[in-house]
Structures are given as C-alpha cells and as structure tokens.
Amino acid sequence: MATASVGQVIEALSALYSTPDPQAKKQANKWLANFQKQPEAWTTADYLLKADDSNTETRLFAAQTFRQKITYDLRDLEPSARLALRDSLVEQLTVVAATGPKVVMLQLCLALADLAIQLLEWKTAVKDMVTKFGGSPETAVCLLEFLTVLPEELNSNTRLPLTDLEYKEQGAALLESNATEVLKLLIMYMNSSAGNTDLQERVFKCLISWLRAGDMDINIIINSPLLNIAFEALDNDDLFDVAVDLGVEVIFETRDFNATTSNVVRDIYRYLVPLLDKIRNAKEEEDSDKVRGYCRLFVSAGEAYVPLIIQHPDDLSAVLEGIMSCTAYGDLEIVPITFKFWDELTYALMNPRNEQTIAALSRYYDALVDIIISHLHYPDDSTSWSAEERDDFKDFRHEMGDTLKDCCQVLKPAACLTKPLVMLQKLLADPNSKWQQIEAPIFSLRAMGAEVPDNEEQVLPQILDLLSRLPDHPKIRYAATLVISRYTFWTRTHPQYITYQLNFISAGFQNEEVAAASALALKYLCKDCNELLVDYLSELHPFYTSIIRTLPFNDALEVTEAIAHVLAVVPVSGLQNALQQFCLPLAQDLHGIVVKEPSTHSREDCQKACDLLELISAFIAIIHPDVPLGQPNPCVNFVNELWPIFDLCLKNLGTDSDVCEQLGKCFKNCIISYKMSFVPLLPQLMDRLVTGFQVSGFSIYLFVSFRIVRQYAEGGDDNAAVCFGLVERLSQIMFTKANDTKFDEMPDVVDEYFGLLTAMLEAAPTHLLQSTLFPTVFQLGFTGLSMDHVRGLSSVIVFYRRLLGIALSVDELVPANTTTRSAASLGQNGARIVEQFRANGNGFVRLIFTGLIYHYNWDVISDIASIIKSLAQILPLETSEWVVAVVNEIPEVNLSSQNKNEFLTSYMSSINDKQWAKARRVLSDFITSYRRKNAIDRSS
C-alpha cells in the first residue's frame, strides 16, 4: 500500500469538502477522478475503507472507488484476487451494517452487485448474501439494499463489460433462480416488521426492483399478503408514495392478461374500488399529493386494461370513474397524467371492431369535453403571472387540445362543436359574463379543428355567425381570430365567408394584442384560399403597403407569406407586374439603406436590411410558377431587376454576417424555386459567391454553393464542369483561410466546405477526384479530423466515408439511383482514392484513433468504425499495421498489454477472415469500452 497515495487522497478530499475556493474544489475533484483510474487505487481504497480514523467522506470515496474499479478495471485483477476482493467487501459491509453510515453502505452494495454480475463463477451471490445478512434485523437493511440494487444494476448498468449472452446468463443465475426465495424473504420481513416503517419501505422498494426486472411471478405476488399490505399502506403517510409505486408496478405486470390472469385483474380491481372514496376525500381536503398518488394507480390500471375496458366497460367502471375524477381535479399538474389513457382508449375505440362499445363509453367523453373546457379558463389572477407561468399554461392548453380531438373522434365533430356553441350562446346572452368564460370555449373550437371535415354544415356556420357578436375584448378577439385561421380549409369550400373573414382579420391589426393572431390567420386564409383571393389583390395591395412598415417583423413576415401565397396562383402573364406592385416597395426601402456609405450604417440599418431581405426571400420561396424551359420566367426576370440592390448589399454590408445570411437565403431560394430557369443568372451568382467568401469568409456562401452543386452538377458534363469551377475557386480561398485560421475557430466554414466537396463527390466525382485539387483537399481534411466541433467534424468524416464508398464501388451513404457512374470511372476514381489512402493512411489512422480515444463525440464513433472497416477492405495489410502501431502506443496505465492483445487478436482475426462487419463491431466495442474506462468522468 502506497502511503503517499493515501496522504494525497486525504489532502484532495479535504480540498474538495472543506476549501471555499471553487477552483481548488474543481482541481481536487479532477485529481480524485483520475486517481480512481490508477492501479494503486485498489489498495488505497481498501486501506481508507478499513482505517479507524477515516471520516465519512473518506470512506464514501473509498466505497465509490471500489465501485468504479469493479465497473471498469475488474479484468485487471487475477481470478483469485477478484474472489479475495469479494470476501473483503462482504466483511466491510458487515462493519458498515453495524456502524453506518448509510451512504457508504449503498456504495458498497452497488460495488458488490456489480461484482456479482461480473463474477460469472459466483452463482450463489444471492444465497450467500441472505445467509450472511439475513439472520438479524440489524443486518437486514444491508441485505435489502443489496437485493434492491442488484436487479437495477443488472438491467441498467450498461458500463459493465459483459456480452449480451453473459448478461442473460447472469440474469437467470442471480435473479430468476432466486425470485421465489427472495419473495418469501420479503414476506417474512414484512410480517415481522411490527410497525417498522423504514423496514417496510425497504421491502416495498426491493419488491419494486425485482418486479421491474421481470423476474417475479405476478400470480404469486397477488396471492401473497404483500399486495394487501401495499394497498393498506396507502393509509400510512410515511408509506404512501412507495405503496403507490408498488401498486403501479403490480398493475403494469398484469397488462398482458389472458384467461389464466383474469382473476389477477379482478383482485386488483377489488383493491381499486374503495379508492374512489379516498380520492374524493383527498380532493375535498385539497391534498394534491394524495390525489396524484391515487391518480397514478387508476391511470396505470386504465392504460393496462384498455382492451378489457373495451370488452367490459361496466365491469371496470370504477377505473373510468377514478380517472374521470382525476381529470376533473383542479390541480393542472395532475390532470395531464390522465391524457395518455384517454388517447389510448380513443385509439382502441377507433378500431372498427370496437365500434359497438362507443355508445357505452360516450357519456365519459361527453363529460370529458365539459371538463376540458372548464380547465381551459384563464384564472382571474392571470395578469400577475410570470412569463414562465404563462408559457406553462399555454403548453397545458395545447395538451388539453389533443384530448378534445380524442373526444371529437369518439363523439363526432358536430356533437363536440355543439357544446362550446351552446356555452357561447348562453354566455353572450348574459351581460355579466367574464372574458375568461367566453374565451375558453372559443379556444376549444380551435383545438377541435383538426377533426372537423370541410363539409361540416350543421354547427360551423352558426359558430362563424356568432363571431360578429363577440365582445371587443383583446383576449376574446385573439382567440376568435385563431379560430378563423384554424378553419381556413373549411372556408375554401364555403367562399361566401371570405369577405367577412378578411374584414374580421384586417380589423385585428389595429390592436397590438391581436395583430399576431391576425397575421397568422391571414397567412392561412391566403394559403388555403389563394385561388379565391386573386380577385381581392386590388384590395390587398393598399392594405399590404400601408401596414407592412408598421408591424413587428414576425407579423410582417407572416403577412408577406400570405400575399405570396395569393401571388403564387396569379397567371404567368400578370405575375411580374404583381410582383413589382407588392415587392418593389420592399426593394426600394432596402435600396435606401444599402446605398449609404458603409461607415454610416447603424446596427438598426443592418437589422432593417436583414428584415427586408427576409421578406423578399419569402416571395422568392413561395412563388415559383410552372414555366416551360426556354420561356421567360417572370420571377427570374424580377430577380434580375433586384440584382443591383443585391450587389449593393454585398458591397456596402458584405461584412455583416446577418445581412449576408439573409442575402444567401434569397440566393438559395432562387436556386430551389426556379431550378433550370435560373441557369442564365448562375454565372453572376457564382461570381458573387466567390467574392463574398473572399471578402467575409462567411459560411453562407459555401452553403449556397452547395445548393448549386446539388441542383445543377448532375445536369450533364458541361454543368458539372461549371460547378467544379466554382468549387475550385472557393477551394483556393479556403486553403488561404486554413493557413491563417484554426479549424475550431471557423467550424461552420469547415462544415459547409466539406459538405460542398461531398456534394461534388455525389454528383460528379470524376471532376474532383481526377483533378490536381484532390490531393490538397484530401490532406486538408486531416486538420478537420482533429476538431472538437461536432458538425464540422461530422462533415469531414462524411467526406472520407464517401471517398471510401466510391473506392469500394459501394457508396453506402448515397442512394443507388442518385448518380450515374460508369464502371470505368469507378475504377479510375477508386484507384485515385486508394493512392491517397496508401500514401497518407498511417497519419490518417493515427488522427482518427486519437480522436476516438480522447475527444470525439460519442455520436461519431460508429461512423469512424465504418471508415476503418472500409479502409481495411481496400488496404487490409496496411490498415492492420497502422492499427497495431497506434494501439501499441497507448500507455500501459490506460490499457494493459493483455487488453491490447485481446483487441488486436480479435480485430486481426476478423480482418484476415474478411469478416468486415465483425471488424467494425470489434473496433467499435473496443473504443466504447476504452473511453468508458479512461476518457469519461467516473463520478458516481
């Protein structure tokens, strides 16, 4: 035992728990975490755990260290040492059982559980622990703790280095074969507990753990005294929560019922019936904790027994009544617990085979509509809410809206719509009605919209006629406007309402609280009824030009999108004139900003320019007429008119990233919307992208270039050559920037640049691979392989995966029908790729192994494993040499020689046998295991 290590650990623990300096605490924690990885941690932890003068913090650290070492480093011990470790921990647990503290006991139990799972030869772990600790009440606490954590560790601790087969075998040996005896033990403890609620709680928790593991026979539990004791424990405040947890688990285990388990369900139902009175009392006493517990029990039964409820609704009415009572409760944190049940019941009822049951259950759904609408009411004191409280209530309302949709499916839309209609009619007849009372049923109408057909003629006309009678309160007006926005699909088949709805929506813009709803409603009305609104353009034009400058930007964007949807169906002959009418005022405002000298631009100017560009971009994105190729496209002509203004943006605002982002969005939408019609303007666009990237270095120009390659590079060799010319020009700029700036300082640029290269590989690989550019970009990617930024790194990784896919003539990431590549080009390109990997593979493998071991995000590990697998397929001997070299260089303290040999033997075997999938799996498992052991925080 190293005395120095003991002293250092005690000193670090003192700093961790006693020093007021946060930096010192952080350093101490880091040192202790690293110490736990060292070989001497075994003996140091053993000494500290047994030392008489160790305080609680020290013994806790020692116990945690044992757990960590057992999890990650057990293989470093000889078999005899593992058994000696087991015996030592058992003895220490005996000491802790007598003296405490409980936190140390828990860590020792976890350590022993993890040891039992990994010691395949210790098949009698449970029996041995029962024999050792089961004989006295003093040690029973230790035994119950061990028995509780053992199933949890076996089923959830994925860090243990066992195969799936070993996990399965250990589950059978430790849990399945001992379940009956453990149940008898728990019954014995419960019968002898004599009011010891701490012991009873531990028994319940232990039983819950074994139930969740799936190793207890539910029939035996039902027929044992434990279930009756658990439901009786609901009357004990100290045991209520754990009794609820146990009841929920028991119910869950009975969900797969059959003829042999029908009695089980009947027994559970017998326990639930008396809870109806208890939940009623809890509601009267406003005891939300009790209501929540009862609610969980009823909802668990409801979700588990949905098929039975469908078959025998009257026989399980108490379950429905209990859930309905919980749904009606005023605590809005408890109500959502019931929503999943209503959703699952509705789904089952929508099965045509269960249609006959709807009548028997419709009364519950009928009451549910009334309950939900009552919950939708804003409270009287909502004006004092914080922003978070307001947002939470909005989210809750939308959740309730989903339940209203369930009601519409069961009761049919007309019946559900009638309820808020009748409520509104009564409320509007009463002059004393509060706005909260009126707003709630209006909101419910919006929520039901998804289930209402466009041919509904019975109720909706009455509702829309009712809108004109609503009080002029902003909350009511807001909700009513959103109702219009939700039913615009219905308006499309009822055009007689368009004029009224347009006027209703337009009037809302005069009120700041309603303007956002009006903008949204106008967008959906124009989108769904665009063809019907073409005749209204003469009215919409003065409205748009007068209001667009006064609205907040988000509202202005939605109004712009609304107008664009109508312009999208204007005949081609009149489209350019219409665009000029609506869009040129925006362009003129933009020109007024960008024409100024760059030095005079304020932040407000830049933001305004961004907003105007985004509005123009919305027109480009939405309006894309079907014009035969070769004929003038009015939209392209209009964009050509805007080009001088775009040039001024680049010239005078080209160093503002936000402005360039919006300008790039305009360019991108031109490519997507106009496709081949935009080809005449491509040379101009390419020049501007190169200039913009040269001046600013912003990634948006690379992204737009990526869209160009994706759209045009597959359109023939001429188009591919033009696109590759763009790639070459941008690459020269990128090489310069790579010399001046670290990749981690420009991750977005790296991401987009390698995305651009990959797009070129997908569309026209020969142009890139047979060029003088290829060796340079191949080497440039090495810099990207050292990045920490996930997106940038991922783009580089995908680039190399594409290369290897082409070399193997099987590009696994590209659909087979995306490209047309000849066998000859595949052979030439493959040879070119192999040449680069052969020349640079040693450095390549070293880089990705370094990343795998030390810093790559977990999400990319499988991709890297695929890369090495593919590399081994094209260069098996070289790849093996590179992998062996880099693995052997890993320090012994991080990876023992035995572990290196085990991995290399398995990996080399799969390579030699050409079992490529196995090679990938072996490598992936090795890296995962290594990083869990060495490269992550091992905090407990």
Side-chain angles (χ1 to χ4, degrees):
M1 192 277 302
T3 306
S5 296
V6 171
Q8 288 173 304
V9 168
I10 292 174
E11 183 181 349
L13 287 171
S14 176
L16 181 65
Y17 287 105
S18 302
T19 183
D21 182 2
Q23 188 61 31
K25 287 179 180 289
K26 183 178 180 180
Q27 291 176 350
N29 186 63
K30 183 178 180 180
W31 187 91
L32 289 167
N34 184 63
F35 173 78
Q36 288 180 320
K37 303 172 186 176
Q38 310 308 316
E40 63 265 29
W42 288 110
T43 53
T44 301
D46 184 64
Y47 176 85
L48 293 173
L49 189 62
K50 294 176 180 178
D52 294 335
D53 58 348
S54 291
N55 59 22
T56 297
E57 289 81 8
T58 302
R59 299 177 73 193
L60 175 62
F61 174 75
Q64 290 172 330
T65 299
F66 272 122
R67 187 189 178 199
Q68 294 296 314
K69 298 297 285 182
I70 288 169
T71 298
Y72 297 105
D73 303 327
L74 188 62
R75 289 185 177 183
D76 295 346
L77 299 182
E78 296 294 330
S80 58
R82 298 174 194 176
L83 295 177
L85 173 64
R86 174 198 64 186
D87 296 339
S88 176
L89 289 177
V90 169
E91 288 307 313
Q92 284 305 305
L93 189 58
T94 305
V95 175
V96 172
T99 61
K102 291 182 179 180
V103 289
V104 177
M105 178 188 72
L106 172 60
Q107 290 301 318
L108 287 176
C109 286
L110 287 165
L112 271 169
D114 292 337
L115 184 60
I117 295 166
Q118 294 182 78
L119 274 182
L120 306 183
E121 63 270 32
W122 192 20
K123 303 295 185 184
T124 58
V126 172
K127 292 179 182 178
D128 292 347
M129 294 294 286
V130 170
T131 301
K132 182 73 175 178
F133 295 97
S136 71
E138 292 77 16
T139 56
V141 172
C142 274
L143 176 60
L144 288 171
E145 193 69 65
F146 173 79
L147 292 176
T148 299
V149 300
L150 179 63
E152 295 170 353
E153 290 296 291
L154 187 61
N155 287 284
S156 63
N157 190 349
T158 57
R159 299 171 297 175
L160 301 179
L162 296 179
T163 65
D164 291 343
L165 179 60
E166 287 171 335
Y167 266 113
K168 184 176 181 181
E169 290 176 348
Q170 286 300 86
L174 297 175
L175 301 184
E176 292 176 28
S177 62
N178 293 298
T180 302
E181 293 305 314
V182 168
L183 183 59
K184 290 179 181 178
L185 180 74
L186 296 180
I187 293 172
M188 180 195 73
Y189 280 142
M190 187 58 77
N191 288 336
S192 61
S193 60
N196 184 342
T197 56
D198 179 65
L199 182 63
Q200 291 170 351
E201 182 178 4
R202 291 181 180 275
V203 169
F204 283 156
K205 287 182 177 180
C206 184
L207 181 56
I208 291 169
S209 179
W210 282 69
L211 276 171
R212 287 174 179 165
D215 294 300
M216 285 285 187
D217 187 335
I218 193 65
N219 289 287
I220 297 177
I221 294 176
I222 294 293
N223 294 322
S224 77
L226 286 176
L227 187 62
N228 184 62
I229 294 171
F231 275 93
E232 288 180 351
L234 293 172
D235 294 328
N236 186 321
D237 290 344
D238 294 333
L239 296 173
F240 181 81
D241 290 336
V242 72
V244 169
D245 290 340
L246 178 55
V248 168
E249 289 300 324
V250 169
I251 291 169
F252 180 78
E253 291 299 322
T254 63
R255 67 196 183 283
D256 297 324
F257 47 81
N258 51 46
T260 61
T261 59
S262 58
N263 290 335
V264 171
V265 176
R266 191 175 298 111
D267 288 339
I268 291 175
Y269 182 76
R270 178 169 51 84
Y271 286 114
L272 292 173
V273 172
L275 298 186
L276 288 175
D277 288 335
K278 293 183 179 181
I279 199 171
R280 191 177 301 113
N281 294 335
K283 288 172 68 174
E284 291 175 356
E285 295 170 4
E286 297 184 357
D287 189 340
S288 292
D289 291 335
K290 287 286 181 68
V291 176
R292 182 182 288 104
Y294 294 132
C295 180
R296 290 181 59 211
L297 288 167
F298 278 110
V299 169
S300 296
E303 292 173 1
Y305 306 146
V306 163
L308 279 179
I309 292 172
I310 296 291
Q311 297 170 22
H312 311 287
D314 293 336
D315 294 341
L316 291 170
S317 60
V319 174
L320 290 162
E321 294 293 342
I323 296 173
M324 182 65 72
S325 178
C326 296
T327 307
Y329 188 51
D331 189 328
L332 300 188
E333 292 184 0
I334 293 175
V335 174
I337 298 173
T338 68
F339 290 164
K340 185 171 180 283
F341 163 74
W342 294 115
D343 181 62
E344 292 184 359
L345 182 63
T346 302
Y347 181 81
L349 286 172
M350 290 304 98
N351 188 320
R353 291 177 300 178
N354 299 326
E355 190 174 353
Q356 72 283 354
T357 309
I358 291 178
L361 295 175
S362 60
R363 64 186 178 93
Y364 295 104
Y365 282 91
D366 187 79
L368 188 59
V369 175
D370 294 329
I371 290 170
I372 294 298
I373 293 178
S374 70
H375 285 321
L376 291 173
H377 283 74
Y378 273 97
D380 292 339
D381 61 349
S382 62
T383 53
S384 63
W385 275 354
S386 65
E388 183 179 0
E389 289 173 322
R390 196 173 295 110
D391 289 342
D392 287 344
F393 186 67
K394 286 181 179 178
D395 293 341
F396 173 66
R397 290 178 117 206
H398 288 296
E399 279 190 82
M400 289 191 289
D402 292 335
T403 303
L404 280 175
K405 294 171 191 173
D406 292 335
C407 295
C408 284
Q409 291 184 51
V410 175
L411 300 176
K412 303 308 177 191
C416 288
L417 290 172
T418 299
K419 281 183 168 289
L421 172 63
V422 172
M423 290 181 190
L424 287 170
Q425 289 171 336
K426 291 180 179 178
L427 289 167
L428 294 178
D430 182 357
N432 297 317
S433 297
K434 296 181 178 180
W435 73 262
Q436 292 94 334
Q437 295 173 295
I438 299 173
E439 192 271 348
I442 295 175
F443 182 92
S444 74
L445 291 169
R446 177 186 168 201
M448 297 177 193
E451 302 301 325
V452 178
D454 61 4
N455 61 354
E456 206 291 316
E457 305 283 354
Q458 183 180 346
V459 187
L460 266 182
Q462 298 181 65
I463 290 172
L464 291 173
D465 290 341
L466 203 65
L467 297 184
S468 61
R469 296 169 48 200
L470 294 174
D472 191 21
H473 187 285
K475 295 289 188 184
I476 295 174
R477 185 87 183 192
Y478 184 95
T481 304
L482 290 181
V483 168
I484 289 177
S485 76
R486 189 63 191 81
Y487 288 92
T488 51
F489 70 92
W490 182 89
T491 306
R492 183 180 182 87
T493 59
H494 299 78
Q496 65 270 30
Y497 288 93
I498 284 182
T499 301
Y500 169 71
Q501 290 186 13
L502 266 179
N503 292 333
F504 190 93
I505 292 169
S506 300
F509 285 103
Q510 308 307 314
N511 189 314
E512 289 184 2
E513 294 185 53
V514 185
S518 295
L520 186 68
L522 185 63
K523 180 174 77 170
Y524 284 114
L525 185 67
C526 290
K527 183 178 181 180
D528 287 341
C529 305
N530 53 359
E531 293 176 351
L532 300 171
L533 286 167
V534 170
D535 293 338
Y536 289 79
L537 280 175
S538 59
E539 300 171 33
L540 288 171
H541 178 252
F543 163 78
Y544 179 74
T545 54
S546 65
I547 202 171
I548 198 64
R549 293 182 176 91
T550 64
L551 290 174
F553 173 71
N554 288 335
D555 297 343
L557 180 60
E558 291 192 322
V559 171
T560 298
E561 290 173 350
I563 299 299
H565 283 300
V566 179
L567 295 183
V569 294
V570 168
V572 173
S573 59
L575 181 54
Q576 189 166 348
N577 180 60
L579 272 170
Q580 290 171 336
Q581 278 188 308
F582 284 91
C583 198
L584 274 183
L586 302 177
Q588 289 165 353
D589 288 351
L590 178 61
H591 181 270
I593 296 171
V594 300
V595 76
K596 295 191 293 185
E597 286 297 318
S599 59
T600 65
H601 286 130
S602 65
R603 184 65 245 167
E604 185 179 348
D605 287 335
C606 293
Q607 184 58 56
K608 185 62 178 175
C610 286
D611 293 346
L612 290 165
L613 282 168
E614 190 162 357
L615 297 182
I616 292 170
S617 178
F619 281 112
I620 297 172
I622 294 172
I623 306 169
H624 35 83
D626 185 13
V627 179
L629 195 61
Q631 294 186 15
N633 187 312
C635 293
V636 176
N637 293 339
F638 181 68
V639 169
N640 199 30
E641 293 178 21
L642 296 177
W643 214 263
I645 301 176
F646 290 162
D647 280 345
L648 282 172
C649 287
L650 283 172
K651 178 183 177 183
N652 294 333
L653 290 174
T655 57
D656 187 286
S657 60
D658 294 333
V659 172
C660 293
E661 197 73 27
Q662 293 305 324
L663 185 60
K665 190 174 181 181
C666 289
F667 294 154
K668 176 205 71 174
N669 287 340
C670 287
I671 295 164
I672 295 173
S673 292
Y674 310 138
K675 299 180 173 60
M676 298 308 294
S677 295
F678 194 70
V679 168
L681 296 184
L682 270 183
Q684 298 178 58
L685 176 56
M686 289 179 175
D687 289 342
R688 283 151 182 81
L689 294 175
V690 172
T691 301
F693 187 51
Q694 175 77 59
V695 171
S696 69
F698 294 148
S699 62
I700 182 63
Y701 299 110
L702 296 172
F703 173 70
V704 177
S705 301
F706 161 82
R707 297 303 312 194
I708 289 175
V709 171
R710 286 283 296 270
Q711 184 66 52
Y712 301 107
E714 290 186 37
D717 198 59
D718 290 342
N719 282 358
V722 171
C723 289
F724 180 63
L726 173 64
V727 173
E728 282 186 304
R729 295 163 70 189
L730 292 169
S731 293
Q732 296 307 318
I733 302 169
M734 183 65 186
F735 298 156
T736 302
K737 292 188 180 299
N739 288 329
D740 299 334
T741 309
K742 294 179 180 179
F743 271 22
D744 273 313
E745 295 175 5
M746 53 175 186
D748 53 335
V749 173
V750 176
D751 177 25
E752 299 297 354
Y753 176 70
F754 280 92
L756 172 63
L757 293 177
T758 302
M760 198 70 213
L761 285 177
E762 292 174 358
T766 302
H767 283 272
L768 174 59
L769 296 174
Q770 299 302 323
S771 72
T772 57
L773 184 68
F774 175 55
T776 308
V777 298
F778 187 94
Q779 289 278 357
L780 185 66
F782 283 24
T783 308
L785 290 172
S786 299
M787 293 181 69
D788 289 321
H789 190 273
V790 176
R791 282 188 59 188
L793 173 64
S794 296
S795 287
V796 177
I797 290 171
V798 169
F799 169 69
Y800 284 114
R801 285 194 71 180
R802 293 286 196 275
L803 288 175
L804 289 164
I806 294 171
L808 290 166
S809 303
V810 181
D811 197 339
E812 61 201 82
L813 298 184
V814 180
N817 60 353
T818 24
T819 56
T820 54
R821 303 173 186 168
S822 67
S825 71
L826 279 173
Q828 293 171 351
N829 293 337
R832 184 86 159 141
I833 293 166
V834 171
E835 173 189 335
Q836 287 300 315
F837 275 110
R838 179 177 284 113
N840 302 286
N842 185 40
F844 179 78
V845 169
R846 191 171 299 277
L847 275 170
I848 58 179
F849 248 90
T850 300
L852 283 171
I853 289 172
Y854 295 112
H855 68 91
Y856 282 173
N857 186 282
W858 285 99
D859 294 339
V860 305
I861 287 180
S862 61
D863 290 320
I864 295 292
S866 292
I867 283 178
I868 297 180
K869 178 206 76 171
S870 299
L871 191 58
Q873 287 179 262
I874 61 173
L875 295 170
L877 295 178
E878 293 91 334
T879 303
S880 298
E881 292 174 2
W882 299 329
V883 170
V884 169
V886 74
V887 170
N888 282 329
E889 290 176 7
I890 298 175
E892 187 76 14
V893 67
N894 298 117
L895 188 68
S896 67
S897 297
Q898 178 185 347
N899 291 146
K900 292 177 185 177
N901 291 334
E902 287 177 358
F903 161 66
L904 289 173
T905 299
S906 180
Y907 181 76
M908 297 300 295
S909 172
S910 59
I911 295 297
N912 293 335
D913 295 338
K914 297 184 178 182
Q915 296 178 326
W916 310 119
K918 179 184 175 184
R920 178 187 181 281
R921 185 178 68 253
V922 168
L923 177 64
S924 184
D925 290 346
F926 166 72
I927 295 299
T928 301
S929 175
Y930 179 91
R931 291 192 66 181
R932 283 173 175 162
K933 180 178 179 180
N934 294 285
I936 64 171
D937 180 12
R938 291 189 183 186
S939 58
S940 295

